[in-house]
Amino acid sequence: MARIDINDPYEDYLKSLVDAGLFRSVTAAAENAIYRQMVEDEKLRLSSVSAAIAKGEADIQAGSTVRYTSSLMAEISEKGKQAALSGKTIKNEVKP
């Protein structure tokens, strides 16, 4: 179990929540705050995934796609392998 130190004004705020009867302890109040942040992070992650899906669907509707072929996959794999070996990143340069 982790033990953390919480500085002012955060500790004072958590104590005020306990004093108001909203939580049984400072730990419970902190756990709730962390839980709420985790929920918010998950919402942002899902929103990002949804945006990527929407972009992909728009690309499909616009005809901005590349037909799958085994040679295309080999080309992508080779570029990725070479980039990994050289420590460089690669741009999306697939040609239709």
Side-chain angles (χ1 to χ4, degrees):
M1 183 157 133
R3 296 282 178 203
I4 61 172
D5 292 322
I6 300 174
N7 297 321
D8 290 331
Y10 311 110
E11 184 177 11
D12 290 339
Y13 176 72
L14 294 173
K15 284 180 181 178
S16 74
L17 296 176
V18 173
D19 292 344
L22 298 173
F23 296 96
R24 67 184 185 287
S25 66
V26 168
T27 298
E31 287 173 344
N32 181 266
I34 293 167
Y35 170 78
R36 290 172 65 176
Q37 184 61 52
M38 290 170 64
V39 168
E40 187 62 29
D41 289 349
E42 182 65 5
K43 285 180 186 176
L44 289 172
R45 187 186 73 78
L46 291 175
S47 175
S48 174
V49 169
S50 293
I53 291 170
K55 182 184 180 318
E57 289 176 345
D59 285 347
I60 290 168
Q61 293 298 319
S64 301
T65 59
V66 177
R67 185 166 300 283
Y68 170 84
T69 64
S70 57
S71 63
L72 172 65
M73 292 310 295
E75 178 187 341
I76 292 170
S77 294
E78 185 59 31
K79 283 183 180 181
K81 180 178 159 185
Q82 293 303 319
L85 292 173
S86 69
K88 296 180 182 177
T89 59
I90 58 175
K91 294 183 206 176
N92 182 8
E93 297 176 4
V94 177
K95 295 164 185 70

